Amino acid sequence: MHDPAPDLALGSFAAVLSGELPGAWTSTYHPNRGGTTGHNALTDRVWDLNDVADALARDAVDHCAVLTRDDGTRLFVADRPGSGEGYLIAAVAPADAPAEAFRGVREPDGIEVAADPFSAAEDIRYDLLPRYDKALAQVRTNALRIAASSAAEPEHVVMTWSGGTLVVERPDCEDITGVLTGHGFVLDTERDVFVLSGDDSARQAASVRAAGHRLSELGVGVVLRNPAVRPALGTAAAMAPPPPVTAPHRSH
């Protein structure tokens, strides 16, 4: 039988509410610590562009609670602004999804509930949670599609022959840069490229093989390419060079 007069303090309200929601939920109370609460890390994740967002923009949150379902889904609980009784309940956006995954997904805007945790649980169950679960499913689907797209386009390094020297465009990734410099490539600051001298062709080939092996361990492919040849004026165009190969050395 329900307590006819439950404690209406936010922490107690959230604790009772967590036991009334469908599924397994836990409640964590974040108290007021005298102005340096650090609650921005929570309010910044509130997934709302309506009444709750407006209330958070107007009034600082000095204490709040977070309800967490066993699958990681979270709800934010804060006092309703003003002197009236009641609370704001809002979805918390998942922190492990890339920003692109939220594109095109409608925010599951929060709700205002009465200070009765039992009626509040009904409002959340039939109003907020269905919208929240739908939005979460869309974000998860988008995140999987983004991950699959990234996996379908593996990164690669192109090494281009320039005379007896191998030239690599300066990569953005520090890990790739470290592999190149660790295997004899030197930065040409004027051209902003890395070069591997061919003064010792055997040593050059060994460096390319070793660099290719290490890059492969990082999930980065290596392509060796001959430079495009421009035909001289007045002559017929030369046949197109063969497609790039991934051999770690050139023949002599």
Side-chain angles (χ1 to χ4, degrees):
M1 184 174 179
H2 294 160
D3 182 350
D7 185 349
L8 300 184
L10 189 150
S12 298
F13 170 86
V16 175
L17 177 61
S18 67
E20 296 300 315
L21 295 174
W25 294 79
T26 57
S27 175
T28 303
Y29 178 61
H30 298 270
N32 181 359
R33 296 188 178 90
T36 56
T37 62
H39 297 327
N40 287 345
L42 295 174
T43 58
D44 288 348
R45 302 302 303 175
V46 169
W47 203 0
D48 183 287
L49 285 181
N50 205 338
D51 293 340
V52 177
D54 182 62
L56 295 179
R58 288 186 285 107
D59 298 299
V61 173
D62 56 6
H63 71 153
C64 60
V66 175
L67 308 184
T68 304
R69 195 164 62 188
D70 55 2
D71 63 355
T73 299
R74 295 188 297 166
L75 293 172
F76 175 82
V77 185
D79 291 317
R80 178 187 288 174
S83 57
E85 294 182 346
Y87 298 96
L88 300 174
I89 312 288
V92 178
D96 58 348
E100 296 85 352
F102 292 87
R103 188 170 301 164
V105 179
R106 178 73 171 86
E107 293 80 8
D109 293 328
I111 58 177
E112 294 186 4
V113 298
D116 174 8
F118 309 113
S119 65
E122 293 296 301
D123 292 339
I124 294 169
R125 179 174 186 173
Y126 295 108
D127 185 2
L128 176 55
L129 281 181
R131 290 184 283 108
Y132 191 7
D133 288 338
K134 178 181 178 181
L136 275 174
Q138 291 175 327
V139 168
R140 298 299 186 198
T141 298
N142 291 346
L144 289 174
R145 187 183 68 250
I146 292 169
S149 176
S150 299
E153 300 177 1
E155 191 170 5
H156 64 276
V157 169
V158 177
M159 300 183 180
T160 303
W161 289 110
S162 178
T165 301
L166 274 171
V167 178
V168 178
E169 295 291 334
R170 187 173 186 173
D172 295 328
C173 177
E174 292 184 1
D175 288 344
I176 296 177
T177 298
V179 171
L180 294 176
T181 57
H183 291 87
F185 285 81
V186 178
L187 178 63
D188 182 331
T189 55
E190 291 186 0
R191 294 185 293 166
D192 200 33
V193 297
F194 283 93
V195 296
L196 180 63
S197 171
D199 294 341
D200 184 337
S201 60
R203 186 172 182 178
Q204 182 187 49
S207 294
V208 172
R209 284 194 296 270
H213 178 72
R214 178 61 186 136
L215 289 170
S216 178
E217 292 177 341
L218 297 175
V220 180
V222 177
V223 176
L224 269 81
R225 179 174 297 166
N226 290 319
V229 179
R230 177 181 295 180
L233 293 177
T235 64
M239 294 181 61
V245 296
T246 57
H249 66 279
R250 57 172 181 163
S251 60
H252 293 276

